[in-house]
């Protein structure tokens, strides 16, 4: 993707407004709580909230973090599919952008977490259940492992099915909340 922002104010170092700065800092803190590198979360939050491509130097200066940390974080964000590299006419540097549709970003994050966390857990639990040692475990342990495997597999299947729905349908389902009980009775 090539973007023409030659005379854009976004080509200079940015001073974030207080609300934007608080959002970026909070998102970094939340990322840490979710097991994601703080800088990686802050970079993604910055690209999301600004909604314009930024180069690595702009990100480094705006966030006040090490250039190497920015480079590593951008690579990881690209690996997750959350950040894309774009070219800007008249500028040889790489610029980075992200989707500004929060529902699409959530979809990408859930898909990645499912691949990295849930699917390997289902496989691990199945391998335990299939192992010869499993038969020598007591019945309570076997029952709990089978129940855990069935639970994680059900959550994985359910989330996969939900992710196939259009965002508009997914929003409606999530807004139903506990009133879904009425439908199921």
């Amino acid at each position: 993707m090539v973007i023409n922002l030659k005379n854009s104010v976004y080509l200079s170092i940015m001073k974030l407004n207080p609300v934007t700065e608080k959002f970026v800092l909070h998102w970094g803190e939340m990322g840490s709580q979710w097991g994601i590198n703080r800088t990686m979360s802050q970079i993604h939050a910055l690209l999301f909230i600004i909604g314009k491509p930024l180069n690595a130097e702009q990100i480094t200066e705006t966030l006040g973090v090490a250039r190497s940390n920015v480079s590593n974080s951008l690579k990881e964000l690209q690996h997750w599919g959350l950040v894309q590299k774009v070219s800007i006419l008249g500028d040889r540097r790489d610029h980075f952008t992200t989707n500004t549709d929060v529902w699409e970003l959530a979809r990408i994050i859930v898909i990645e977490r499912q691949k990295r966390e849930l699917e390997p857990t289902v496989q691990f639990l199945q391998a335990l259940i299939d192992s010869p040692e499993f038969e020598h475990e007591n019945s309570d342990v076997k029952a709990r492992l089978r129940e855990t495997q069935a639970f994680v597999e059900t959550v994985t299947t359910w989330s996969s099915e939900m992710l196939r729905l259009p965002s508009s349908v997914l929003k409606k389902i999530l807004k139903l909340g506990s009133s879904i009980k009425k439908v199921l009775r």
Side-chain angles (χ1 to χ4, degrees):
M1 173 188 273
V2 178
I3 299 172
N4 188 356
L5 292 178
K6 196 170 185 175
N7 296 320
S8 172
V9 294
Y10 289 100
L11 292 179
S12 60
I13 304 306
M14 294 178 298
K15 170 81 172 102
L16 300 179
N17 293 328
V19 170
T20 302
E21 183 177 323
K22 286 176 184 175
F23 175 81
V24 169
L25 290 172
H26 178 76
W27 208 252
E29 293 297 321
M30 290 308 302
S32 295
Q33 297 296 315
W34 297 332
I36 306 296
N37 175 291
R38 178 189 323 257
T39 301
M40 188 171 129
S41 298
Q42 288 178 344
I43 290 169
H44 187 252
L46 177 65
L47 292 171
F48 170 75
I49 203 73
I50 295 298
K52 303 283 184 196
L54 299 175
N55 63 50
E57 290 78 22
Q58 289 171 306
I59 295 168
T60 298
E61 292 296 320
T62 301
L63 296 179
V65 295
R67 177 67 166 85
S68 60
N69 199 351
V70 169
S71 293
N72 292 333
S73 295
L74 285 168
K75 285 177 190 168
E76 187 65 18
L77 286 163
Q78 288 175 77
H79 183 70
W80 275 69
L82 289 169
V83 166
Q84 298 75 39
K85 193 184 306 187
V86 296
S87 298
I88 294 183
L89 290 174
D91 193 339
R92 289 184 284 183
R93 296 172 292 186
D94 290 327
H95 288 71
F96 301 89
T97 189
T98 191
N99 195 321
T100 55
D101 178 349
V102 71
W103 287 90
E104 188 56 34
L105 289 174
R107 186 182 309 274
I108 293 167
I109 291 167
V110 170
I111 288 168
E112 283 299 314
R113 294 210 73 145
Q114 186 172 331
K115 280 194 290 192
R116 295 166 187 253
E117 298 164 23
L118 293 177
E119 291 171 8
T121 301
V122 168
Q123 293 168 1
F124 170 76
L125 291 168
Q126 190 62 55
L128 275 180
I129 291 167
D130 293 342
S131 72
E133 297 88 0
F134 184 75
E135 289 307 314
H136 302 293
E137 284 294 337
N138 72 53
S139 59
D140 289 339
V141 169
K142 289 196 274 190
R144 287 187 191 107
L145 284 173
R146 284 187 181 114
E147 186 177 319
T148 302
Q149 194 269 350
F151 169 77
V152 176
E153 194 169 74
T154 300
V155 168
T156 301
T157 301
W158 178 82
S159 65
S160 293
E161 290 173 7
M162 291 296 106
L163 291 170
R164 283 190 213 105
L165 297 173
S167 294
S168 59
V169 174
L170 191 53
K171 286 178 195 177
K172 289 177 186 174
I173 290 171
L174 291 174
K175 286 181 181 180
L176 282 174
S178 63
S179 64
I180 193 78
K181 291 187 297 188
K182 297 173 189 170
V183 175
L184 298 175
R185 286 186 185 169

